Amino acid sequence: MSERVVGRPHPIIDAAEKVSGATIFIDDLELPGALTGVALRSPHPHARVLNVDTSAAERLPGVAVVLSKNNTPDAPFGINHKDEAAFCREKVRYVGDEVAAVAAADEATAREALSLIRVEYEVLPTVADPFAALEPGAPLVHDSVAGNIANEFHIKRGAIDEAFEKADATFADEFHTHLAHQAYIEPTGCAAQWHPDGKISVWGCLQSVFLIRTFMLAPVMGMSADDFRVTQTKPGGAFGGKLDVKAALMAAMLSRAAEKPVKFMMSLEEDLIAMRPRMPVHISLESAWKNDGALAGKRVRIVAENGAYSSLSPAIMSSIALRTDNLYKTPAAEIQGRLVYTNIIPSGQMRGFGNVQATYAWESHLDNVADGLGLDPADLRLKNYTEKGDVSLHGWKIASCAVADATRYVVREMDWKAKRARGGKGRGIGLASCIHVSGNKGFSVELGPDDTDPSSGVVRVDEEGGVEIWSGESDLGQGATSVMAYIASEVMGIPVDRFKVPPTDTGYMPFGMGAFASRITLIGGNAVKLAAEDARRNLLDAAAEAMEIPADELEIVEGEVRAKALPERKMAVGEVVRRVGSVVEGEGKWLAGGDVLDKEKYGNPSTTYSFSTHGAEVEVDMETGVVTVLGVCCGHDPGRVINRLGAEGQVEGGVVQGMSYAMMEGLAPLEGHLRGKNFHDYLIATSMDAPPIEHDFFESMDPYGPYGAKGLAEVAINPITAAICNAVYHATGGARIRTLPVTPERVLEAIEEARI
Amino acid sequence: MSTYEIKFSVNGNDEILAVRGEETLLRALRRVGYVEVKLSCEGGDCGACAVLLDGVAVNACLVFVAQADGCEITTVRGVGTEDDLHPVQEQLIEKGGVQCGFCTPGIVVSAKALLDENPEPTREDIQRGLAGNLCRCTGYKKIFEAVSAAARQMKEGGDS
Amino acid sequence: MEFLRAASVDEALAAAGDGAAFVAGGTNLVPDVLFGRKKIARAVDISRLDELRFIEEADGKIRIGALATVTDLLDSRLIRDAAPPLYESALEFAGPLVRNRASVAGNLMDASPAADLAPPLLSQDAVVELASGEGERVLPLSEFFLDYRKTAARPEELMTAVVIDPLGTADRCAYYKLQLRRAMAIAVVGVAVVLRMEESVCEQAAIGMGAVAAVPYRASAAEAHLRGKEIGEAEIEAAAAAAADGARPIDDVRASGAYRRKMCGVLVRRLLKKALGMPHAAAV
Ligand SMILES: Cc1cc2nc3c(=O)[nH]c(=O)nc-3n(C[C@H](O)[C@H](O)[C@H](O)COP(=O)(O)OP(=O)(O)OC[C@H]3O[C@@H](n4cnc5c(N)ncnc54)[C@H](O)[C@@H]3O)c2cc1C
Ligand code: FES
Ligand code: FES
């Protein structure tokens, strides 16, 4: 590895503007003459909308427009099921559902107008519990969807019945996860400006500026995707939650109706009750084993809570159902999944895309198995891990894999054997592993053009020697665009500080699907790498002409084109560009490999898989159930680390976010009403909660990744929940946390249960 | 609706503004252009709105702006700008203590207040000093490292 | 909402009443107004009445001015030495940004069942001083909280100080806040224990409880098992049982009432042992 840039620690490229408070986030954007948009949201989990009377609101001075089902077309949308409308039509289906929206001169007027809208509801029975929703005769969330089932599947692979019949031992468990929010600190908002030619500009913190046009804005507003120019503003965090942002639709519809710019900022409470939090799931597991610890087969039954509308939930459930089977050599499996509508906030994707939940359940189960078989949990995993060259039960082709190295590292660093030998007295350790995709071809069916998952990049060198990278892939604040700058810098021999990566903008940037499924580094990174190589070639060709030296005898070092043999013959990159008389550009495009899965969900959804193992040491107060995470140790396989500082930040951020999810978060629905509506009831980890974290990278050098790199964002969060739960199990001598989060009360219950 | 004319200085600039009784310092600062003070929870829970009020770090969302009449206010841009970064800011860059950057203005203000009080903080002092500032991206570790490094940098700077 | 800055205590008193509310640190009041939980006609700003911001020793008592902030408690040698449970509660209170504004009187006047300063103040026999146009009066803190967010103070009354008995060498004490994260958390249960020992006999016992009933209160039934006794396992068990029995906790988003009740027993037992230097489970 002889790279100069790749692999070293670099600050993110926009750090200076961020630390000095100069960054403009959506709420800071000045749009002269902008109106304030706000939404009227349903106070009921489930009710028929008999009448919406907006007349008094419309008459209020300062109100520009009021939108509701009365004056907007019936244009349902949704990525998998067209089950959602801009404004509720026959029914409201969760507390927070948009019933109407107002644009007015200022916020006070807009809010007063909301209070003047009269909605007549006929309250219907709430479908709050997914199991009750599945009962025959349960009230229906969507009248046309029988049984409240949004999606279901049943797959059998391998000789599953035989595996259980011939097993030396079988184990069964049930796990339940909770409704938890992405809880980025910046509340969601969007701005829109209608133009007299009928086009609309939209701004906001969005994970995909391109896709929001095609699945939401264009179909609902009856316009073509090109009519929207969508620009990303600097994101105040997303973590999966900014893919389907209805605020963009609200702002755009209000702006078109008012023929004025509109800013639609959600309060934190609105954000917590009406975005798309991480899906709660109920997972039953059965597994069959040989005495020597070889996995023979598993049966998985999942009931996943879809909430009121579906969006990407079928894909999330599918990810939960199949994912962990690919981490271990699994000879046979039977998987059943049911996605159930309820009258609760629609659930969605958050960092991990279901894998946090799946990994929690399966990796907790594995420790129960190890206990039952009398094996060490680390040894059990090491015996069964998938390896490079394997094709999994579901058809995943593992091209690179260092999970075993990661686990051995954790075992060594944590003094595993010695600490495992103690335990049971309030102190314990545990670990867990995961596998994640880097890009998922599965989404191309739902989201991509013609079932493909493309990314493209443009690299432009200007006459001052500065370089701009245009990529359609969004940075959500974790430094993805910095990674692109480092890659291009490496390729082009131009220092990193000369690079700019403007926010994604459909107005002039090439297409990219956006930030999800850890696809940016692999797919976006490859596209930019190709573009940088193209730009480098073009630069050298131009320099060859200017310097009268053949291009293959030139190189670019430190922003200068130099003759390899005569380093004193050199020309600054900017000067080369000036000689050419215009910008020098390069283009690159990358089509993600992998398969679209077949109907039985068989196939290789990505070319590239990342891995990690997390270990946790905890102290449990056996009388109060209070758990303290004393330390976390983890190993990650991100293929190749492009930016060490950024990679470390991803890991540390992922671990603490995961720990926070595991231990204290929860929107806590009660009869359809959420209780975690602000940051003192929705708790996330503070600086006082952050445990010491030790970690290292195990670079498996993926053959498809740019410089061997793979995605890291999601493997950084997936296993920590199970690692903590396994440590609690060890510390308490058998208290198994089957329902998240790991609150003191729950731990105490589990301790008492384990005593019986 | 009662309005009041008040005066205060922000980062050394005198501001005179007409305010309503219930308007918060956060809303007022943003209204007159100090948008580096971030608005999130408006309930004191996140610390994104932290400013120094007469040198004391507070949540701008928990103060009626009229209470700040006659006071000196310092925002993150009063702590340091791109061309003239405070050691805390320099080290947040160097050590990777900033990701999305939404929490950062508040973190910078709290960290500066901490170091003004306690020039040689331990890791625990730093954890405690930043307990009112939520960060969802970094996991805090690199922020702690940055504040520690800033303390060292300031000490060395002071000695020379 | 009208806003009025009081330049003196007298001015504050003159502006009180008629839907007015005093605003000190504003950490409760400002968001209450913003989110519409409280409608007030006039905010009377007392935050700059420096004459109400002090912590001093006088006549064998500690007087804490109404406007002393939680940060002031942490900065005070006197509090640290002579009111350790109060000091510890201040350490666990919110985070530094809130502590810099939050006042002692505001915490009591807000009358949240989970007000963190209440259990330690109760355990040190706090007395509050109230002033109004009609004069001044004092009231034991144990009689101050009447019901959920209801106090014995009249709307026009200004709290001017809180007075506590300092703890001396013969006193044993301990404090714990059970919370769902390590900072910025509303208490699930808060307990402060103070024992005045005469040789091996407990002269006085005071146990302040928070977040386990509509108001913070003294666990008098538990105290009765200790007062005048040589404290051994049996007394501690009896006190712990009485503390659990006397709690009237509710279910909420943080914990169930049943868990809270159980924790009253666990924590009282543990804190008594800790105060007396007996072996006890670690975490406290
Ligand atoms: C993010 C956050 C975290 C918090 N964490 C905690 C915590 O951990 N523990 C805890 O106990 N509390 C906590 N609180 C609540 C609050 O900070 C405290 O109750 C604080 O002590 C209130 O004091 P203040 O000066 O800000 O009161 P204010 O908000 O100014 O006033 C509160 C009430 O008391 C009245 N009042 C104030 N002073 C007087 C006076 N002198 N005489 C008569 N009436 C008066 C006001 O009219 C008002 O009704 C938290 C609040 C926030 C926003
Ligand atoms: S906005 Fe002030 S603390 Fe969150
Ligand atoms: S850097 Fe994103 S919240 Fe702190």
Side-chain angles (χ1 to χ4, degrees), chain A residues 459-649:
Chain A
V459 169
R460 300 165 51 103
V461 191
D462 67 29
E463 71 289 352
E464 299 298 332
V467 190
E468 221 173 81
I469 298 175
W470 294 354
S471 158
E473 311 295 358
S474 323
D475 187 337
L476 280 318
Q478 276 58 59
T481 52
S482 298
V483 164
M484 296 190 183
Y486 305 133
I487 290 175
S489 166
E490 181 72 56
V491 169
M492 297 174 71
I494 296 175
V496 173
D497 60 13
R498 303 311 316 270
F499 282 78
K500 280 206 196 87
V501 190
T504 48
D505 185 335
T506 64
Y508 64 99
M509 284 192 180
F511 180 82
M513 295 244 289
F516 52 89
S518 292
R519 60 185 290 289
I520 300 266
T521 296
L522 179 82
I523 301 169
N526 270 320
V528 164
K529 183 161 182 260
L530 291 171
E533 284 163 2
D534 190 31
R536 179 174 183 278
R537 266 191 308 275
N538 294 339
L539 261 181
L540 289 179
D541 286 346
E545 220 172 299
M547 296 167 75
E548 297 180 346
I549 301 176
D552 58 2
E553 290 172 24
L554 294 173
E555 60 181 356
I556 312 177
V557 181
E558 290 294 310
E560 289 175 342
V561 182
R562 296 182 191 162
K564 285 182 200 162
L566 282 169
E568 61 279 10
R569 294 242 4 229
K570 59 189 184 187
M571 186 178 277
V573 162
E575 198 184 334
V576 175
V577 176
R578 287 199 292 277
R579 291 285 182 94
V580 178
S582 71
V583 292
V584 170
E585 272 197 359
E587 287 176 15
K589 122 172 153 221
W590 182 265
L591 272 180
D595 312 328
V596 172
L597 305 186
D598 69 13
K599 286 213 168 51
E600 292 286 290
K601 300 189 187 291
Y602 186 88
N604 185 33
S606 181
T607 54
T608 299
Y609 302 95
S610 306
F611 300 87
S612 69
T613 297
H614 290 180
E617 181 165 13
V618 303
E619 188 170 76
V620 182
D621 184 326
M622 301 288 281
E623 289 181 338
T624 61
V626 171
V627 176
T628 307
V629 179
L630 300 171
V632 171
C633 175
C634 32
H636 289 80
D637 167 15
R640 174 78 197 277
V641 172
I642 301 270
N643 170 19
R644 188 153 290 268
L645 205 55
E648 288 172 2

Side-chain angles (χ1 to χ4, degrees), chain C residues 75-212:
Chain C
D75 289 345
S76 160
R77 191 77 233 182
L78 186 58
I79 298 297
R80 195 179 189 139
D81 292 345
L86 184 60
Y87 177 80
E88 283 178 47
S89 74
L91 262 183
E92 298 299 321
F93 192 109
L97 296 166
V98 172
R99 290 200 291 263
N100 285 343
R101 292 291 288 176
S103 67
V104 172
N107 193 243
L108 300 177
M109 289 298 306
D110 186 62
S112 158
D116 278 336
L117 305 183
L121 288 172
L122 282 163
S123 75
Q124 283 186 261
D125 291 325
V127 169
V128 299
E129 298 181 356
L130 299 169
S132 71
E134 284 156 37
E136 292 171 17
R137 60 174 181 142
V138 295
L139 204 63
L141 187 59
S142 54
E143 293 167 24
F144 178 75
F145 300 113
L146 299 180
D147 202 344
Y148 180 72
R149 295 203 180 261
K150 212 168 155 256
T151 73
R154 293 189 302 271
E156 71 280 8
E157 274 183 316
L158 177 74
M159 187 181 286
T160 50
V162 184
V163 182
I164 56 175
D165 286 338
L167 300 189
T169 43
D171 300 320
R172 303 280 172 270
C173 61
Y175 172 80
Y176 188 67
K177 173 179 178 181
L178 199 149
Q179 52 188 340
L180 299 183
R181 64 179 173 187
R182 294 278 179 286
M184 301 291 291
I186 300 170
V188 175
V189 181
V191 182
V193 166
V194 171
L195 301 172
R196 176 147 298 167
M197 304 302 288
E198 184 71 47
E199 306 276 294
S200 61
V201 177
C202 171
E203 282 268 282
Q204 272 302 331
I207 302 177
M209 308 288 295
V212 290

Side-chain angles (χ1 to χ4, degrees), chain A residues 5 61 132 268 294 312 351 414 417 425 530 547 562 616 719 726:
Chain A
V5 180
L268 176 66
L312 269 173
R351 194 172 190 177
M414 295 192 83
K417 295 278 169 197
K425 297 189 205 83
L530 291 171
M547 296 167 75
R562 296 182 191 162
N726 288 340

Side-chain angles (χ1 to χ4, degrees), chain A residues 185 236-237 478, chain B residues 97-104 134-138 143:
Chain A
I185 310 298
Q478 276 58 59
Chain B
V98 50
Q99 289 188 26
C100 81
F102 197 81
C103 69
T104 314
L134 296 175
C135 173
R136 189 60 159 168
C137 300
T138 63
I143 297 176

